Amino acid sequence: GENVEQHPSTLSVQEGDSAVIKCTYSDSASNYFPWYKQELGKRPQLIIDIRSNVGEKKDQRIAVTLNKTAKHFSLHITETQPEDSAVYFCAATSYDKVIFGPGTSLSVIP
Amino acid sequence: DAGVIQSPRHEVTEMGQEVTLRCKPISGHNSLFWYRQTMMRGLELLIYFNNNVPIDDSGMPEDRFSAKMPNASFSTLKIQPSEPRDSAVYFCASSPLRSGSGNEQFFGPGTRLTVL
């Protein structure tokens, strides 16, 4: 079955710096890659997603890249702000089955 | 739309008792997912349904766990008998079905289960 790895597990950055989170997946049939943000005590919420026919997608300060050949995808957050502090989960989806990575705890230091 | 609704929000029970968690998906969504979240194991997919039919229950940890979706607007996750290691936050999520491909999942607020 699908296996999703995510690195780093924790990340601290200074406000205004960039943050990068990387994921790898194993199932070549996966074709949809969402990223979820979960604030403490809250539910996961989608922040950006990318499908396998696209290599890069950007939405304001966040961007995602996908390398299907290498089975890698990454989340980039620029100009980080304290409210970006949360746990971020990547996921890989194959035929509606979603497998989440273990999460990255991001701390943005003011 | 009120979003995905889960009840109860918190449940404290004693080992051996039966626990039933409930979920109402967003109207019009065809897919429903049950997840368990713990510090040790992260966010685990337990089971998911498409059009009320269970598609994959390979994540259900043991026979003590069962899930049903009797209609498009209601699903239950039952644990019988419960054990302390079942303590976790259980999320329900729904999604519009997109055949052969994934789509955004909308999570409910979760049920925090504590088994003493």
Side-chain angles (χ1 to χ4, degrees):
Chain A
E2 177 66 279
N3 181 51
V4 178
E5 297 185 355
Q6 184 171 348
H7 300 280
S9 57
T10 59
L11 179 60
S12 290
V13 298
Q14 291 288 333
E15 182 177 358
D17 287 350
S18 295
V20 179
I21 302 170
K22 298 183 178 182
C23 289
T24 61
Y25 63 99
S26 60
D27 187 353
S28 57
S30 291
N31 56 6
Y32 173 66
F33 305 90
W35 287 85
Y36 287 81
K37 176 183 179 183
Q38 186 177 25
E39 297 176 353
L40 189 62
K42 303 243 177 115
R43 73 193 79 185
Q45 291 191 296
L46 183 78
I47 56 170
I48 195 167
D49 55 14
I50 191 167
R51 298 193 184 274
S52 57
N53 58 347
V54 175
E56 185 173 354
K57 184 176 178 180
K58 189 174 181 180
D59 183 3
Q60 299 182 343
R61 295 187 298 107
I62 60 173
V64 59
T65 58
L66 171 65
N67 182 329
K68 278 219 76 178
T69 303
K71 299 195 185 97
H72 290 174
F73 57 116
S74 301
L75 177 72
H76 303 251
I77 306 174
T78 59
E79 301 173 18
T80 53
Q81 301 168 3
E83 52 264 38
D84 294 330
S85 296
V87 177
Y88 292 80
F89 294 95
C90 64
T93 305
S94 176
Y95 297 99
D96 297 315
K97 182 171 183 176
V98 183
I99 302 299
F100 283 85
T104 295
S105 178
L106 173 64
S107 298
V108 179
I109 304 164
Chain B
D1 197 325
V4 176
I5 298 172
Q6 289 187 249
S7 65
R9 295 291 307 277
H10 302 272
E11 176 81 23
V12 180
T13 190
E14 293 188 346
M15 181 174 63
Q17 296 297 305
E18 176 181 304
V19 174
T20 299
L21 311 181
R22 298 173 175 80
C23 176
K24 177 179 169 54
I26 293 173
S27 178
H29 282 189
N30 310 86
S31 294
L32 184 139
F33 305 79
W34 282 101
Y35 292 92
R36 177 172 69 176
Q37 186 173 38
T38 60
M39 288 295 293
M40 291 297 295
R41 301 177 67 90
L43 200 56
E44 300 175 277
L45 175 64
L46 301 178
I47 185 172
Y48 75 97
F49 297 81
N50 282 352
N51 294 320
N52 313 338
V53 176
I55 302 300
D56 189 327
D57 64 354
S58 59
M60 296 286 264
E62 299 172 32
D63 291 345
R64 299 184 295 106
F65 286 69
S66 62
K68 294 182 179 180
M69 191 164 186
N71 57 61
S73 59
F74 183 65
S75 177
T76 59
L77 178 68
K78 184 180 291 187
I79 308 172
Q80 179 184 22
S82 58
E83 297 182 1
R85 59 194 169 117
D86 301 331
S87 298
V89 178
Y90 290 81
F91 286 104
C92 173
S94 72
S95 175
L97 182 64
R98 179 170 169 162
S99 180
S101 180
N103 215 332
E104 177 179 1
Q105 295 192 7
F106 295 81
F107 282 77
T111 295
R112 181 172 295 276
L113 173 64
T114 302
V115 183
L116 303 175

